[in-house]
Amino acid sequence: MAPATVSEKPTAIVCVGMAGSGKTTFMQRINAHLHGQQEPPYVINLDPAVLHVPFDSNIDIRDSVNYKEVMKQYNLGPNGGILTALNLFSTKVDQILNLVEKRTLPDPEQPDKKPVKHVLVDTPGQIEAFVWSASGTILLESLASSFPTVIAYIIDTPRTASTSTFMSNMLYACSILYKTKLPMILVFNKTDIKDASFAKEWMTDFDAFQAALHEDEAKNAFGGAEGGDSIGGSGYMGSLLNSMSMMLEEFYAHLSVVGVSSMTGQGVDEFFAAVQIKADEFNSDYQPELEKRRQDREDEKKATRQRELDKMMKGLNVTPGTTDAAGGERLGGGRSGGGGGIAGGLDDQGDSGADDSDSAADLDDDDAVDPDEEYDREGLQSRYEAALLDQKDRVTDSASFAKYLHTQR
């Protein structure tokens, strides 16, 4: 069966956001929306500490890792338990991708069953445990290596009404964007409580944000001294927020912004329109960058293996480019791979999220089976034996000479 083309691949939507921003309710809303469109998504829950989720998950981390048992066995607190549970679950990332890829292809046994077009991923409320951890990086890079992946950053709109909290959310979103290097959609949630038009205006109109900033300063909203004393008060905060707003102007240009009410469903259609735009952007802009980063890692691995091999040969007194005892095969500098198993293994473990979980389309490449891995073991063994034999002869000669001196006394 031929692998799915780029256009047939589902779009992975990873929902992240601060605790209490409404990620789970948002997940429920978009899941129900897709079911209503007769396009049920593939749902993955990555929150090990949640007691109840209001939607059915195809893959649930709680089925594989017992969060409370992890805390008990490793003597961890809540955050450490979540982080460790994610680390344990990330070891199954290849199985996750295999399951998702099967659902992206037509089922010959059930021809009426549609392949999925969206993969929804719910993350822990402790956003830093996912975004900044090694396991989160592995899971995100694995998804991005197989499917167009979009980050949906959920923002609690009523709590973002002040300029300081708004800027805090924007800075966090900026850091996530440059950490994940994936297209992002800002989702201002809970618009049934407060409309998100003010946030969109602040992001597109610098003067509007300046006016709101001056209004907060006049109200002494930053907790400074009366009259706006600039020493440790609102003057400092106003200057800081003003500088950051100018810095983030370029950042805003690369974002899609939508207002959504998870309770009423308002804005969900606009959200999926933004998802389609970002999926196309992923294929045109982000995918080549991911491929370049993957190739750079492969080149670095080959260089590391070559350095380890040269070091090992030097330790055995086998000089690269010399003739071995088996009959003239030379160990040239152009051969790499195989010998540096330890260093290569460490690199493979660190990069397993993107390299060990490539999709079927990636495995079809000519470079899928590295020729360097099929190293000539017989030739290498002959060089080992030649080096060991040479050392043995030196030891024997030295012993014979010492015995001769002893007999002459």
Side-chain angles (χ1 to χ4, degrees), residues 15-339:
C15 298
V16 300
M18 299 291 185
S21 60
K23 293 188 303 299
T24 303
T25 310
F26 176 76
M27 279 279 298
Q28 180 189 21
R29 172 56 62 181
I30 60 177
N31 181 43
H33 177 82
L34 291 174
H35 276 279
Q37 299 291 327
Q38 303 300 318
E39 294 180 356
Y42 199 88
V43 182
I44 302 175
N45 174 44
L46 295 181
D47 191 349
V50 65
L51 297 178
H52 171 71
V53 289
F55 50 83
D56 293 331
S57 301
N58 299 94
I59 297 177
D60 198 325
I61 187 175
R62 297 175 298 171
D63 296 335
S64 302
V65 183
N66 190 321
Y67 166 69
K68 291 185 177 180
E69 193 64 24
V70 167
M71 292 176 60
K72 180 180 178 181
Q73 290 188 9
Y74 294 95
N75 194 24
L76 299 171
N79 290 337
I82 292 174
L83 186 59
T84 304
L86 284 170
N87 290 339
L88 294 172
F89 188 69
S90 65
T91 61
K92 301 178 180 293
V93 67
D94 56 337
Q95 301 177 33
I96 297 172
L97 292 181
N98 287 336
L99 290 173
V100 178
E101 287 173 352
K102 288 180 180 178
R103 289 291 288 112
T104 65
L105 300 174
D107 189 352
E109 298 180 357
Q110 301 179 10
D112 296 336
K113 190 175 183 179
K114 295 182 179 179
V116 297
K117 295 184 179 180
H118 296 90
V119 179
L120 307 183
V121 183
D122 193 15
T123 60
Q126 288 77 358
I127 185 174
E128 64 281 354
F130 178 78
V131 174
W132 303 106
S133 65
S135 56
T137 301
I138 290 172
L139 291 167
L140 281 176
E141 290 191 353
S142 299
L143 281 174
S145 68
S146 300
F147 314 108
T149 305
V150 177
I151 301 293
Y153 182 65
I154 316 301
I155 300 174
D156 189 340
T157 306
R159 295 184 180 178
T160 316
S162 69
T163 54
S164 58
T165 55
F166 171 81
M167 189 56 61
S168 297
N169 269 289
M170 293 301 103
L171 289 175
Y172 215 113
C174 180
S175 63
I176 294 173
L177 176 67
Y178 289 104
K179 173 65 170 60
T180 62
K181 295 181 175 63
L182 294 172
M184 176 182 287
I185 301 173
L186 293 186
V187 181
F188 284 90
N189 197 14
K190 307 180 183 180
T191 55
D192 55 307
I193 301 175
K194 184 175 181 59
D195 189 75
S197 58
F198 74 94
K200 297 179 181 179
E201 185 181 13
W202 288 354
M203 295 177 67
T204 56
D205 190 343
F206 179 77
D207 294 332
F209 181 80
Q210 291 296 309
L213 180 60
H214 292 320
E215 183 178 349
D216 284 348
E217 286 182 322
K219 295 178 180 178
N220 199 25
F222 304 131
E226 292 296 333
D229 186 2
S230 61
I231 302 178
S234 62
Y236 168 77
M237 282 296 296
S239 177
L240 178 63
L241 294 177
N242 182 44
S243 301
M244 288 190 295
S245 65
M246 291 188 292
M247 177 198 67
L248 293 177
E249 185 176 0
E250 181 67 21
F251 165 68
Y252 295 151
H254 294 83
L255 296 177
S256 294
V257 183
V258 294
V260 174
S261 172
S262 298
M263 294 299 295
T264 65
Q266 178 186 0
V268 174
D269 290 329
E270 289 82 356
F271 169 75
F272 280 104
V275 167
Q276 184 58 51
I277 294 174
K278 288 301 178 181
D280 296 338
E281 183 179 318
F282 176 92
N283 293 325
S284 61
D285 299 337
Y286 287 82
Q287 187 67 31
E289 178 63 22
L290 291 175
E291 294 294 339
K292 181 179 181 300
R293 287 159 54 192
R294 183 184 297 116
Q295 185 60 45
D296 291 343
R297 285 194 295 267
E298 288 295 334
D299 294 342
E300 179 61 26
K301 288 178 189 177
K302 291 180 181 180
T304 302
R305 288 195 293 264
Q306 181 62 43
R307 288 194 297 268
E308 291 295 326
L309 180 60
D310 293 343
K311 185 187 299 184
M312 184 166 49
M313 293 294 100
K314 184 177 181 181
L316 293 174
N317 291 328
V318 179
T319 304
T322 59
T323 305
D324 63 13
E329 184 179 26
R330 293 180 176 273
L331 179 63
R335 220 166 191 173
S336 63

